[in-house]
Amino acid sequence: MPRVQEKAKILESHKEAEGTYRLVLYAPKIVPTARPGQFVMVRVASEGADPLLARPFSFHRLHKEDGLCEILLRVVGAGTRLLSQRQPGSSVDVVGPLGRGFTAPTRSDETVVFVAGGIGIAPLRALLDHLLATTHKGHPERLHLYYGARSASELIALHDLKRAGVVSVVSTDDGSAGERGTVLDAVQKRWNASSQMPNRLYACGSLPMQVNLARWVRRRDIWVEMSLESMMACGIGACLGCALPAVDPEDPQAQRYLHVCQDGPVLDPKRIRWDKVQPLIARPLISASL
Amino acid sequence: MPRVQEKAKILESHKEAEGTYRLVLYAPKIVPTARPGQFVMVRVASEGADPLLARPFSFHRLHKEDGLCEILLRVVGAGTRLLSQRQPGSSVDVVGPLGRGFTAPTRSDETVVFVAGGIGIAPLRALLDHLLATTHKGHPERLHLYYGARSASELIALHDLKRAGVVSVVSTDDGSAGERGTVLDAVQKRWNASSQMPNRLYACGSLPMQVNLARWVRRRDIWVEMSLESMMACGIGACLGCALPAVDPEDPQAQRYLHVCQDGPVLDPKRIRWDKVQPLIARPLISASL
Amino acid sequence: MGQSATPHSSAPDLRVSLGPLHLANPVLTASGTFGYGLEFSDFLDLSRLGGIVVKGISLKPRPGNPPPRLAETPCGMLNAIGLENVGVERFLRDKLPPLRQRGAVIIVNILGNTVEEYAELASVLSGVSGIAALEINISCPNVKRGGMAFGTDPHMAAQVVAAVRARTSLPLITKLSPNVTSIAEIARAAHDAGSDILSCINTVSAMAVDPFSRRPKLANIVGGLSGPAIKPIALRCVYETVRAVSCPVIGIGGIQTAMDALEFLVVGASAVQVGTANLVHPRASLHILEGIEKFCRHQGIGAITDYIGTLDTACRFPFADESCSVEPPAREPV
Amino acid sequence: MGQSATPHSSAPDLRVSLGPLHLANPVLTASGTFGYGLEFSDFLDLSRLGGIVVKGISLKPRPGNPPPRLAETPCGMLNAIGLENVGVERFLRDKLPPLRQRGAVIIVNILGNTVEEYAELASVLSGVSGIAALEINISCPNVKRGGMAFGTDPHMAAQVVAAVRARTSLPLITKLSPNVTSIAEIARAAHDAGSDILSCINTVSAMAVDPFSRRPKLANIVGGLSGPAIKPIALRCVYETVRAVSCPVIGIGGIQTAMDALEFLVVGASAVQVGTANLVHPRASLHILEGIEKFCRHQGIGAITDYIGTLDTACRFPFADESCSVEPPAREPV
Ligand SMILES: Cc1cc2nc3c(=O)[nH]c(=O)nc-3n(C[C@H](O)[C@H](O)[C@H](O)COP(=O)(O)OP(=O)(O)OC[C@H]3O[C@@H](n4cnc5c(N)ncnc54)[C@H](O)[C@@H]3O)c2cc1C
Ligand SMILES: Cc1cc2nc3c(=O)[nH]c(=O)nc-3n(C[C@H](O)[C@H](O)[C@H](O)COP(=O)(O)OP(=O)(O)OC[C@H]3O[C@@H](n4cnc5c(N)ncnc54)[C@H](O)[C@@H]3O)c2cc1C
Ligand SMILES: Cc1cc2nc3c(=O)[nH]c(=O)nc-3n(C[C@H](O)[C@H](O)[C@H](O)COP(=O)(O)O)c2cc1C
Ligand SMILES: Cc1cc2nc3c(=O)[nH]c(=O)nc-3n(C[C@H](O)[C@H](O)[C@H](O)COP(=O)(O)O)c2cc1C
Ligand code: FES
Ligand code: FES
């Protein structure tokens, strides 16, 4: 699984929802060995050295035969804004595939739950695609997707997944689409009373969602993998910048870190010292005009 | 003549010769008061702060009624390369009109010589346009343009000037177009033996051309104005960075400087201490690939 | 976080008091990047700014360095202007009156090669009206001490400040250099010697060369780095300075936007100076002022003084109850 | 100017000798930005580089600082990794053997909180084969002296170097910090204490904050600035260092392209280290090496040693005969 750097051509760019864009990239060296849950580092500057660093994005969809991948990005700052404005036909510098992807189920009879908060749908979609084409081919009803956002305008369309037979539950904080409440409310509503737990749960979303979900699954002892985030500079394990506080099983009090780009981004939430996690700084969008 | 900052829209971009591009800008606040020989500061970065500084470009053509101006630029480094790649429809940050323009002749019977070396044609064209429309309307034969470059591929087309009746003499160092030799050779060939000197001479070109021309006119005592260059940061007289060694008439040995963006760029060469001028650093184009 | 804040509709109060110096708002322009102010009157109303620090003035006119005086660097620029200026006499005659007429709050940046030159300048400038404060540029070389900059030695810095202090009752700002092992040490020396206010930073000593011609890009070889590149350095210097002294501090270095200015204010600067940004965007200082106002409205900040120095350095663990409580790990150096 | 040069067709000789350290070419990677080297073996052939300086190693493993450890700044980045490393034992067991197998020239960056820790590390590392040199990171805080960095005081720097020198015969590089009033002074102290080579610079002390949350962007508050933003500062430091000492110097700071590397070489660095650029472009070091080779061919430089240190600081007045000859004006400070 060698990692490579290549100039990927942007074939398409689409606005999928409020502040959310989908780029189709031609990256024939990276895509063939890529797996769901892995990510790429994308340089956002097209000229000069500002912004300097590349930004991490999960594979949203993989089209291996064509050497194509899609990334879904949410505009949160200068880098994502620049990427969202890139014209099809231009190229971006991409390094990948990086990190540890999802561990896929091995049997078709497993009930698999996906919990996506907002842009968290990005990596989960690649895994859904994969399972629909492999283990769960012919058994889409065993794939349950919970997808929530703040408001209807921030949801991307999932018609094709529904058509494929995936059980999809949409929720919004303001009730403007699907059930009112958080994505976790929807998950709990369905499963809290259930005698049968899902076999596996894959999740990606905001930090509060991660923590609440970690708490929920811990009490129920469900097998779970989450795609986590951290500030990154290199994405390849060189800078040690992407540390997350980690549990040391031998010494629970010890100061330990794992590195999201190498040990993750897909991780078992039990390995994280959630009590030591500081949230990433989020700036209101008004900051761009100041 | 207030100076303003405005976002100018790039309406057209054309390659005019090897490494030479012409941009048509819509700058309705700047153009109305602009005069030939003046310049604008154009920010080259479209994102981030690298490259940081704006770059100075002379007005190549002014279309006052339409609020349009043209700049002619030669790719010599990162900034000019970025500008040459800008797509029509995008905008650039422009400050102008700046500096002291040419002093136009007042009478139609003056014989006026223009000496343009390479990209030096840029500001002279604006003055030619102006004289053709004002003092020399009906007397284009009193306007003599000497235009030289290293090679034919670097010359921009001047058909319309010739059609308008301007006396045009083209020269190239390698003889691939027009007379073989420097533009100064062509000037001297015509005027050295002449009993009648031109009334005025306007020039713009490389530093060696400037010095040799300064030497030539000094011995002949021709009224002359040259558009000169210097590294600039602000273009508005604030940083004092664009100094050129100047002659202090009261004390020839004194260390004096004038500032190209305020005292120039159009200057009488007699005001310059040519013996103290250091050439601007020129990098081979290969540097961009290293 | 401003989440709980309620946006204000009334104009925020942007007035700041820096010891004896009272300003309508915290946005000033930095010396050497705003000419004598007049160069910018086409672009903005000079009276709207908190103040204008004019190009450094010496007793006698100075021609400055031979060109090239400028070079561009990644997100920054180098200058070696060589303190070119018209001298105090012409400044007072030609520059000050029109600048006053435009209603600008004028701060004069002063420089000299000896302690006496600084003192004499201060005394000349104290005799005229229309000057709000003096800013002492101690990055100049002390010609009597082998050219070592006044600002790199606490004793020399204190000497200059004390000599100026003795000759003027104008509010006194001392402008610190970042090119030192401990800016806190120089800050304390300047403060103790009578400086009412400190400003930091001046440019960072730096250079650039051309690999082809093998020549330095500046005739002076070494120059001063300014612009966005140095902002993180300047911010750290301000952070160290505000913790070292009790007097107000003005933040300078790489400020291009209101967000940049706010970084300095939250760290503890009572005002900021906008430098290189003026060269790139002549209206930058006004944009920054307007951005600060917008920020205050958005964040529900009624007075900018409620914001200044409110940096929150405590670690935040919103899920601290998530497992056994342990001590926060000790901070380690870089 | 290379105008008179005739392009070479044969491969230029890029070998450099830095005192006892002989390298196939002058392009190394900088500590902390190239992991333990192995992280990059997918991207390039490690044996092609002049050398690899691995992440700073301490006697015992160190967990590093709590996150956030990174922040982006204009043309640069801040880090406060906190010297996280696996410790010398695991380094020798897990990292060194595969790295040697790849044919890399390995330089080990060492760090400690006391003089004794440095000395002991040197002695442990001297006992194994496959290490080409040691690089002493003196930017660490001296825990016995109140946390002041070893590298900011000439006496402390000399102590560390002398202690290490006494325990190893490996070529010794001392890595200098730019956060000092006079880098020349520290350079001389390190050289006199037995360092064969000096490298500069380490990161510049800096910080960044978020105006909305009012919090520092790094949990450690202050971090180290690296990347293109600091290149002009690094170049000035190298310029001052090569003039202060007679030993070879390695240039580090903001090198992204061959042009950047050449700036350091022409100023007098015998080799360069590529840092932050590796994080952005994993193949950056190789690109730079290839660019230097291309440059030499283009400029007709047969051996890179003919280029190193050939900075031409004389003023060039090609038209000096153009009028009365006068003295070139004196250089004035910025
Ligand atoms: C493994 C991984 C996969 C990701 N996949 C996706 C994805 O598929 N789609 C998507 O929209 N986003 C994804 N992200 C988040 C995305 O990388 C950040 O939103 C982006 O880097 C922000 O850049 P910016 O310049 O727009 O914002 P900035 O102005 O740099 O910062 C704005 C906010 O983004 C956070 N941020 C900045 N840089 C990073 C970084 N390198 N990593 C994480 N957070 C950062 C900051 O803390 C801040 O909250 C992923 C992050 C990681 C670590
Ligand atoms: C008043 C004036 C009018 C000009 N008009 C034109 C014009 O109409 N068309 C045109 O093609 N060029 C013009 N120039 C020159 C043009 O500004 C430079 O070629 C341009 O700034 C180079 O930028 P760069 O980023 O491509 O090159 P860089 O990589 O920055 O440098 C490459 C070369 O350009 C020189 N240079 C860089 N910046 C400047 C600067 N600010 N001023 C002068 N030289 C510089 C450098 O010394 C070097 O020789 C003018 C210059 C001045 C001073
Ligand atoms: C062209 C130029 C000239 C300067 N001249 C002076 C000066 O005369 N006196 C002074 O104290 N600082 C001078 N400075 C330093 C600035 O005032 C300011 O401290 C520095 O540039 C950092 O701020 P910035 O990054 O916003 O530019 C000058 C800076 C520049 C760029
Ligand atoms: C993430 C990171 C980690 C670093 N770790 C070390 C280290 O362990 N030891 C050391 O001497 N320098 C360390 N440095 C400093 C670099 O080796 C180098 O001196 C500095 O980054 C400047 O070079 P650059 O601008 O090319 O990155 C580190 C730098 C970065 C960015
Ligand atoms: S981002 Fe550099 S080690 Fe993970
Ligand atoms: S370019 Fe700034 S004064 Fe001329």
Side-chain angles (χ1 to χ4, degrees), chain B residues 239, chain C residues 30-33 55-56 79 81 83 109 137 175 201-203 226-227 230 252-255 275-276:
Chain B
C239 72
Chain C
S31 180
T33 65
K55 175 73 191 160
N79 88 79
I81 305 302
L83 302 172
N109 180 278
N137 179 356
K175 183 165 177 180
I201 58 174
N202 213 314
T203 54
S226 66
I230 68 167
I252 321 171
I255 297 173
T276 300

Side-chain angles (χ1 to χ4, degrees), chain B residues 50 207-208 211 215 218 253 255 257 273-279 283 286-287 289-290, chain D residues 75 257-259 291 294-295 298 315-320 322-324 326-329:
Chain B
D50 183 37
L207 180 59
V211 177
R215 201 182 275 141
R218 195 191 308 140
Q253 301 293 69
Q255 184 186 348
Y257 299 103
R273 284 281 303 263
W274 297 103
D275 59 324
K276 291 290 159 208
V277 172
Q278 289 206 46
R283 281 184 178 179
I286 189 192
S287 63
S289 71
L290 297 181
Chain D
C75 286
T257 64
M259 289 294 277
K294 203 161 147 191
F295 174 84
H298 181 267
C315 286
R316 294 268 168 261
F317 301 116
F319 310 103
E322 205 36 50
S323 80
C324 50
V326 287
E327 284 306 294

Side-chain angles (χ1 to χ4, degrees), chain A residues 50 207-208 211 215 218 252-253 255 257 273-279 282-284 286-287 289-290, chain C residues 1 75 257-259 291 294-295 298 315-320 322-330:
Chain A
D50 184 36
L207 180 59
V211 177
R215 201 181 278 143
R218 195 191 309 140
Q253 301 291 70
Q255 184 185 348
Y257 299 102
R273 285 280 304 262
W274 296 103
D275 60 322
K276 291 290 160 206
V277 172
Q278 288 206 46
R283 282 185 179 179
I286 189 192
S287 63
S289 71
L290 297 181
Chain C
M1 297 284 291
C75 286
T257 65
M259 289 293 277
K294 204 161 145 190
F295 174 84
H298 181 267
C315 286
R316 292 269 169 261
F317 302 116
F319 309 104
E322 205 36 50
S323 80
C324 51
S325 73
V326 289
E327 283 305 294

